[in-house]
Amino acid sequence: MKKLSSLTILVIVIGIITCFSFNGMAFDLKEASQPYKDTTLTVSVMAGYKVNEILPDLSKDFTDITGIKLRFEAIPYGETLEKHMIALATGSTAYDLMNIDNLWFPQYAAYIRPLDDYMKNPKLGDPNFDVADFVPEVLQGYQWEGKTYSFPEGYFFPVLMYRKDLFEKHGLTSPPKTYQEFYEYAKKLTEKEGGKTVVYGATLQGQRTGIFDEICTPYWGKGGQLFDKKLKPIFNNDAMLDVLTIYQKLYTEGLAPAGSTDFELGEAAAFFAQGKAAMMWTWSMMGADLEDPSKSKVAGKIGYAMFPKDNPEVVHYVREASTGLCIPKTAKNKEAAFLYIQWLNSKDTLLKVEAKYKCGHPSRYSVMDQPTVKNLFPYFPLLEQAGKDQAVRLVPKIVEWSQTDDITAVYFQKAMIGKMEPKDAIDQAVKGVERMLDDKGYYMDDKEYSDLMTGRYK
């Protein structure tokens, strides 16, 4: 075997180092953005999310590096879907980026651009971006037919928040383990003075945009399914009846405030922050504000736990949620928009979102594990563990999910306030959803659908 000279070995080593440097470290955002310098991106964001509130300040770093400017337009959450759909359906070029709730993603899929070819383009894609670092189910919420359309800036799901001091006062040593226990705890924790309730056992998110989510959590925790394999609604069963009956009792027995009919996450959290409730089903990200003494009277007094479930064998039982930016097919500055998405969702930027701005919803495992982040909020261990335990789930990935939600919420709210029997409400909801999906053509040819579309989990 012929020996290699020292010079030859040196050349080979340099070649290997150069190769690795090119493949793993060569991406330079400033260089990649030069063709788009002085471009202005118009970004539609949903109001009410902390990450969207800090974007103008955070994004100054991106502009300093790239010369690409950003203009943010905030839309109230409840108006976002309608405004976006009108813009997309009419071919508007007003937005380069749209911020969406992944709950609605299937409705956007036909109008937005996948990112895969940009990610593979060496002039645009950062090889160190590390897609595998995201919580898988959360990333999956932005994928459609094998393509990726966005990345999650945040990751959250409903948890049980409870007042540790009130639990101690009433002799409760641990969080409730079942939904029935949740109801019994609420009775015990409700406090009255002079015939007036001063502390409610629980809050409820009874607004039509919140009620079905809250009810689905304990229903899924019983192992319940919303649809069969043919997308026929099947939640008219004893498990859902038990859940809706308890939900009704929480309200009609005065264990939750009368204003709960108008509560969504913001209203429920504000009520809890005033010290007026002992327990709350709500999205984990709300803990960031609730632990802020300038905004909350109960900061430092809150305990966090996975929401109680009746069947300990059930794994996927809490709905994940996230927000992400997507690029309309009609956007004028698509490449520049991609560079912003990639920068915003990079490890370094998302670490800054948490370490500096304390938004409270890290979507990357590497960010959750950082010492500067890991102990920021007491509920963070739940995020990491739920992701690794596959406790989170997606809602059915059908375009008509929002309609399903709306139809069901109408009847469930009537049951909540005692104007409809729970069984009748469930039966009417199932009939309404089935009729709507039948009109959309889902039941032709007796077709079966994927678990992603039906939302079926073990």
Side-chain angles (χ1 to χ4, degrees), residues 49 230 258 306 364:
Y49 287 91
K230 296 178 181 179
M306 296 297 289
R364 284 182 175 272

Side-chain angles (χ1 to χ4, degrees), residues 19-307:
C19 181
F20 275 108
S21 297
F22 178 78
N23 288 314
M25 300 171 61
F27 182 79
D28 183 277
L29 178 59
K30 185 173 183 177
E31 181 181 335
S33 62
Q34 285 310 294
Y36 321 108
K37 189 177 180 181
D38 296 325
T39 296
T40 297
L41 299 176
T42 302
V43 188
S44 171
V45 297
M46 294 179 288
Y49 287 91
K50 188 172 181 179
V51 67
N52 290 335
E53 293 170 1
I54 61 99
L55 278 182
D57 186 58
L58 174 73
S59 301
K60 290 175 183 176
D61 290 346
F62 178 78
T63 299
D64 288 344
I65 296 169
T66 65
I68 299 171
K69 303 176 184 67
L70 294 114
R71 186 175 72 84
F72 296 95
E73 180 183 310
I75 301 175
Y77 178 87
E79 300 174 17
T80 299
L81 181 61
E82 181 180 3
K83 287 194 173 184
H84 281 180
M85 286 297 111
I86 291 172
L88 292 170
T90 57
S92 170
T93 60
Y95 300 114
D96 296 295
L97 288 160
M98 287 181 169
N99 176 232
I100 69 170
D101 185 329
N102 73 343
L103 174 72
W104 305 324
F105 170 73
Q107 291 175 255
Y108 284 78
Y111 300 101
I112 58 178
R113 194 193 190 290
L115 307 180
D116 305 77
D117 60 329
Y118 288 150
M119 294 162 65
K120 294 174 184 176
N121 184 339
K123 293 183 178 180
L124 295 171
D126 182 353
N128 293 319
F129 186 72
D130 192 7
V131 173
D133 188 38
F134 290 103
V135 177
E137 284 83 2
V138 187
L139 179 63
Q140 195 174 47
Y142 297 103
Q143 294 175 330
W144 190 261
E145 296 181 347
K147 295 181 180 179
T148 299
Y149 290 78
S150 186
F151 300 105
E153 297 134 19
Y155 150 55
F156 32 96
F157 58 82
V159 299
L160 172 66
M161 297 186 188
Y162 62 95
R163 288 276 299 279
K164 293 184 291 185
D165 55 332
L166 294 179
F167 268 47
E168 183 178 355
K169 177 180 176 180
H170 291 277
L172 300 172
T173 58
S174 61
K177 295 181 176 61
T178 65
Y179 199 48
Q180 177 65 32
E181 272 194 3
F182 179 81
Y183 163 69
E184 291 168 359
Y185 275 36
K187 284 198 293 185
K188 194 166 188 176
L189 290 160
T190 298
E191 298 180 358
K192 295 189 176 186
E193 291 179 4
K196 181 181 179 181
T197 303
V198 292
V199 176
Y200 290 88
T203 66
L204 298 176
Q205 294 188 24
Q207 198 176 116
R208 287 185 182 178
T209 52
I211 190 170
F212 196 36
D213 268 331
E214 180 161 359
I215 287 172
C216 277
T217 298
Y219 176 66
W220 285 329
K222 287 176 175 287
Q225 303 284 3
L226 295 176
F227 297 103
D228 66 13
K229 292 182 178 181
K230 296 178 181 179
L231 211 61
K232 293 284 184 76
I234 56 171
F235 54 88
N236 50 339
N237 54 43
D238 289 343
M240 183 62 87
L241 179 60
D242 180 55
V243 170
L244 188 55
T245 299
I246 290 174
Y247 198 82
Q248 181 188 72
K249 289 164 72 174
L250 286 164
Y251 184 81
T252 58
E253 293 180 11
L255 310 181
S260 293
T261 51
D262 296 319
F263 282 7
E264 240 272 14
L265 75 163
E267 295 81 5
F271 191 86
F272 188 83
Q274 291 299 309
K276 296 178 180 180
M279 295 189 298
M280 176 170 59
W281 173 101
T282 198
W283 299 93
S284 54
M285 65 175 180
M286 301 308 294
D289 282 340
L290 290 169
E291 293 294 348
D292 183 344
S294 68
K295 299 178 180 180
S296 170
K297 294 180 180 179
V298 297
K301 300 177 182 178
I302 308 170
Y304 301 86
M306 296 297 289
F307 200 78

Side-chain angles (χ1 to χ4, degrees), residues 368-441:
M368 296 181 206
D369 287 337
Q370 285 293 321
T372 53
V373 171
K374 201 171 185 68
N375 298 314
L376 273 179
F377 298 109
Y379 63 87
F380 272 11
L382 294 179
L383 297 180
E384 185 172 10
Q385 198 59 49
K388 291 179 178 177
D389 288 348
Q390 296 183 310
V392 294
R393 66 191 290 154
L394 295 166
V395 297
K397 288 185 76 171
I398 54 174
V399 172
E400 296 79 13
W401 174 252
S402 292
Q403 291 172 261
T404 299
D405 197 341
D406 290 342
I407 291 168
T408 304
V410 170
Y411 297 108
F412 281 17
Q413 191 183 61
K414 288 180 180 179
M416 168 190 169
I417 62 177
K419 290 195 173 182
M420 199 169 190
E421 290 297 321
K423 187 178 187 310
D424 293 338
I426 295 166
D427 288 342
Q428 289 302 313
V430 166
K431 288 178 183 177
V433 171
E434 184 169 352
R435 185 165 51 246
M436 180 270 294
L437 292 175
D438 190 17
D439 289 344
K440 298 293 184 180

